[in-house]
Amino acid sequence: MGGAYYLLASGIMLSWTVIFAFGTRTYQEKIQRTLDTIMVSPSPLLRVLIAKNLCGLICGTLFLLIFLAVARAFVDQAFMLFAPWPFAFYLLSCLGIFALSLCVSLASALNWSLRSFVGSLVPLAYILSGISFPVELLPQPVHWLAWISPVYWPIQGLKLSLKESGGATIGHFGLSALSVAWYLILAVSVVDLLVRRFTRYGEWVNF
């Protein structure tokens, strides 16, 4: 894969950052009282947060497309992501980041300190994904954390699919999809539970 892979990895991490940027905007909306208006609207807050983060997911993917289109002028293999398997694994990794971004989004709305704590997990997710360097280079306990990371398995599948031998299989995709689905279900459930716990009649309670 060589240098083209690291160019691609940089673009993927930048697209993840765009997704997270949409997740953290709820804090600014709370400060500006925009969130209060949203909370008294007929749409449930959970649905609003999901929609905001879906917008981030779309914008992050579009950002990567633009990034690779520019990179194509300098690196011939810049479009290697858009083969069916690599792109499928990329989308799974974005859904894993979406699950984290949804939690960051609610934390941003609840409390600045909580937002800072949850936001600190973002660079950790980048490290545990193994997209920049192999997780195997890190101590053994970090391997265990990586295995339960929402983006580790999709990135491993992405790396396999980019090899000339085409190492990715339906089994790798199934494992990646299951890990991401678990985190999506967990994130939506936790956010829904916290929204019900800390909001009453369109207002925050205890925060």
Side-chain angles (χ1 to χ4, degrees), residues 33-115:
R33 313 294 293 183
T34 307
L35 193 60
D36 294 343
T37 304
I38 294 173
M39 290 180 62
V40 297
S41 69
S43 297
L45 181 60
L46 175 62
R47 186 183 303 171
V48 172
L49 294 178
I50 290 175
K52 286 179 177 293
N53 286 278
L54 278 176
C55 183
L57 180 64
I58 294 170
C59 290
T61 303
L62 290 176
F63 178 87
L64 180 63
L65 293 175
I66 296 171
F67 177 87
L68 293 180
V70 174
R72 181 66 176 80
F74 305 96
V75 181
D76 291 338
Q77 294 178 303
F79 281 174
M80 62 184 178
L81 176 69
F82 300 111
W85 277 118
F87 194 66
F89 282 111
Y90 163 71
L91 289 180
L92 282 178
S93 74
C94 283
L95 287 174
I97 293 296
F98 168 83
L100 288 176
S101 179
L102 186 60
C103 296
V104 171
S105 187
L106 178 64
S108 299
L110 288 176
N111 183 275
W112 172 260
S113 299
L114 186 60
R115 172 186 182 266

Side-chain angles (χ1 to χ4, degrees), residues 123-153:
L124 181 61
Y126 287 16
I127 294 171
L128 295 180
S129 71
I131 190 170
S132 298
F133 54 85
V135 176
E136 289 72 23
L137 297 177
L138 300 174
Q140 183 62 42
V142 180
H143 299 184
W144 302 331
L145 287 176
W147 294 340
I148 60 173
S149 165
V151 289
Y152 174 78
W153 295 110

Side-chain angles (χ1 to χ4, degrees), residues 130-194:
I131 190 170
S132 298
F133 54 85
V135 176
E136 289 72 23
L137 297 177
L138 300 174
Q140 183 62 42
V142 180
H143 299 184
W144 302 331
L145 287 176
W147 294 340
I148 60 173
S149 165
V151 289
Y152 174 78
W153 295 110
I155 291 303
Q156 299 314 302
L158 174 65
K159 288 180 177 180
L160 287 173
S161 66
L162 290 174
K163 290 183 177 179
E164 293 182 2
S165 57
T169 65
I170 192 67
H172 293 108
F173 183 80
L175 178 60
S176 301
L178 282 175
S179 66
V180 170
W182 157 249
Y183 270 97
L184 284 172
I185 294 171
L186 180 63
V188 171
S189 300
V190 169
V191 170
D192 183 50
L193 178 64
L194 292 176

